[in-house]
Amino acid sequence: MDSKLFVTCVRRLHSVQIVYLTFRLGQEGIVGLRQFVSLVESTPGILAVEPGLFHLKRTLRSGPWENVRRTVIVYGLAHADPGLLEQIAPGLDHIASVQHRASRLFTSSPSVRLVVADAILELILEPNLVYEIWGWGVGISGNFKEIDGLPAVVFDLYDQHDGKDLLKIAIDGWSGRIGVNGTWGDRMAGSPDELQRLILSALVGRLDAMTAPGQPVSQVAR
């Protein structure tokens, strides 16, 4: 697997997110597995859930992958040092995350990405949401974008009067994490209703910060 892509994927993960690492057949995969075992043993917070370390070490002793599961479920990989991840990457066939609302964006097919992105945008940008936001003098648009090489759906909120950007809210297609103005938080992509509430909540916070003290924007209840 490409080292740069692997490091980017891992760095986008939530600190407690589970991923699936599938190692390559042959000696290259064994070398990658040896590096991975070393990483788990030396880094607190990273856990090989299934198979556990005992079974992985037995695989290393036996050598070939014959009749051995090559996919490892890993917890806390986001704690790993990028340099050590780069050493593991050549031994990997691929990496996968737990399924989430935007998972289908993570595909090598550009046409499928656009279809999936359009479906997500249609679910979230319902007329009621758009009209409510417009009532505050704010416009909203949504597009498919790549952020650091990973697919995402991005919502841009802007001032109707001068076009000034107010907020950028992104849903990462790889990890499912939600980012606000370039910062990836703890929230994960949920149902369309949850995402609509998140957009409104973030907008209220932004508008409150822009108003004079003691004159907050009315909180939104949906």
Side-chain angles (χ1 to χ4, degrees), residues 14-209:
H14 189 282
S15 60
V16 296
Q17 198 162 358
I18 287 176
V19 290
Y20 302 82
L21 300 182
T22 300
F23 289 86
R24 302 178 66 176
L25 285 168
Q27 187 60 30
E28 203 167 22
I30 292 295
V31 172
L33 178 61
R34 184 173 293 111
Q35 298 284 1
F36 171 73
V37 168
S38 177
L39 171 68
V40 173
E41 290 182 321
S42 63
T43 310
I46 300 179
L47 176 66
V49 180
E50 186 182 340
L53 272 183
F54 173 80
H55 295 285
L56 295 178
K57 288 180 177 179
R58 187 171 62 184
T59 299
L60 290 177
R61 288 194 298 270
S62 63
W65 284 107
E66 296 177 9
N67 301 318
V68 175
R69 174 179 172 179
R70 293 186 293 119
T71 297
V72 181
I73 303 175
V74 188
Y75 173 90
L77 193 59
H79 297 288
D81 178 85
L84 297 178
L85 293 174
E86 290 179 357
Q87 297 176 27
I88 296 171
L92 291 177
D93 184 60
H94 63 271
I95 182 174
S97 65
V98 176
Q99 293 291 305
H100 53 79
R101 288 279 179 176
S103 290
R104 292 185 60 205
L105 285 172
F106 196 66
T107 172
S108 59
S109 171
S111 59
V112 171
R113 286 183 174 187
L114 292 178
V115 169
V116 173
D118 285 345
I120 293 173
L121 293 171
E122 185 176 357
L123 284 172
I124 296 175
L125 294 179
E126 292 183 331
N128 288 343
L129 175 71
V130 175
Y131 294 154
E132 183 168 355
I133 290 175
W134 271 77
W136 297 345
V138 176
I140 182 170
S141 63
N143 296 282
F144 168 81
K145 293 182 181 179
E146 286 194 357
I147 302 176
D148 299 327
L150 298 179
V153 169
V154 179
F155 299 92
D156 294 289
L157 289 90
Y158 55 90
D159 191 308
Q160 287 183 38
H161 304 293
D162 58 15
K164 181 181 178 181
D165 289 336
L166 298 175
L167 275 177
K168 286 187 181 292
I169 299 176
I171 303 173
D172 180 47
W174 151 244
S175 66
R177 293 180 75 184
I178 294 175
V180 178
N181 288 341
T183 299
W184 299 101
D186 294 334
R187 298 289 294 272
M188 306 291 287
S191 69
D193 284 347
E194 290 174 324
L195 292 168
Q196 288 172 349
R197 288 195 295 271
L198 185 146
I199 290 172
L200 288 171
S201 176
L203 178 58
V204 166
R206 175 70 173 125
L207 295 177
D208 276 351

